[in-house]
């Protein structure tokens, strides 16, 4: 008999290391996949996933069982990605104007980004709210209802965002076709 995620989360929140280990084993790949789709970079996704796993024991105390464990875990992941983006934006602002070192760093980053495949680059071009939505719907194969719950928006908003994603991708494709 398999123990439910919800029961494991409750036990792990109570300090059961076995339960926590089973939860991580069950969901690590899924968690990493979502982190990758949210960040667009393997190394950053690995860092984000490890940060989430390290913080998870403390966060499990806030899991109330009102939603499926996976829905709650997706929300934790999306929030962590948002926090990481905000921190990065702050660091970029602080680093602007650092002379040659900063210019060389930006040039190296531009070369790295040029090597990323078309879909990942197209995902990066999307606004964060659209990227988060498409990562949950297409990457994690959530229903619009579940994605809406994770993102804290209505199902109609999720449907509208997916429509906007299609428009963005078409525009990028048409622009590239002109070249």
């Amino acid at each position: 008999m398999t123990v439910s995620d919800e029961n494991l989360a409750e036990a792990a929140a109570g300090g059961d290391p076995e339960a926590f280990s089973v939860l991580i084993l069950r969901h690590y790949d899924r968690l990493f996949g979502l982190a990758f789709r949210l960040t667009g970079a393997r190394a950053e996704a690995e860092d984000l996933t490890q940060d989430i796993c390290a913080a998870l024991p403390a966060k499990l105390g806030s899991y109330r069982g009102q939603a499926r464990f996976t829905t709650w875990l997706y929300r934790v992941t999306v929030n962590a990605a948002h926090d990481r983006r905000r921190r990065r934006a702050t660091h970029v602002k602080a680093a602007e104007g650092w002379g040659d070192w900063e210019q060389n760093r930006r040039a190296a980053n531009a070369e790295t980004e040029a090597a990323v495949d078309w879909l990942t680059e197209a995902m990066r071009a999307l606004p964060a709210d659209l990227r988060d939505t498409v990562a949950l719907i297409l990457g994690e194969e959530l229903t619009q209802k579940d994605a809406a719950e994770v993102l804290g928006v209505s199902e109609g908003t999720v449907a509208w965002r997916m429509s906007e994603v299609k428009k963005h991708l078409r525009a990028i494709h048409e622009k590239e076709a002109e070249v």
Side-chain angles (χ1 to χ4, degrees), residues 33-172:
L34 176 57
F36 180 75
R37 284 182 282 284
L38 293 172
T39 63
R42 182 176 189 81
E44 191 171 344
E46 288 170 349
D47 289 346
L48 179 61
T49 303
Q50 288 185 10
D51 290 348
I52 292 166
C53 288
L56 205 53
K59 290 188 178 292
L60 280 169
S62 71
Y63 176 65
R64 300 287 176 240
Q66 295 168 337
R68 288 190 327 256
F69 176 75
T70 53
T71 301
W72 177 84
L73 186 59
Y74 286 142
R75 186 72 208 154
V76 168
T77 305
V78 168
N79 286 342
H82 286 183
D83 291 345
R84 187 173 280 264
R85 287 181 198 136
R86 283 190 289 272
R87 281 192 307 273
R88 184 182 314 115
T90 300
H91 290 292
V92 167
K93 282 183 182 178
E96 285 179 0
W98 281 40
D100 292 341
W101 179 84
E102 178 64 11
Q103 289 176 347
N104 290 336
R105 186 191 68 79
R106 288 183 183 185
N109 286 346
E111 288 175 13
T112 300
E113 287 181 20
V116 176
D117 71 341
W118 185 88
L119 185 56
T120 301
E121 192 62 34
M123 289 284 291
R124 283 183 169 177
L126 295 173
D129 59 341
L130 298 181
R131 187 175 352 149
D132 295 347
T133 303
V134 77
L136 291 170
I137 296 290
L138 298 179
E140 295 303 314
E141 299 179 1
L142 293 184
T143 64
Q144 288 187 0
K145 179 182 178 187
D146 289 342
E149 188 176 336
V150 169
L151 297 169
V153 298
S154 72
E155 286 183 64
T157 299
V158 171
W160 174 83
R161 285 180 180 178
M162 290 304 295
S163 175
E164 288 298 304
V165 166
K166 290 175 187 175
K167 288 178 190 175
H168 280 282
L169 293 178
R170 269 192 222 106
I172 291 168

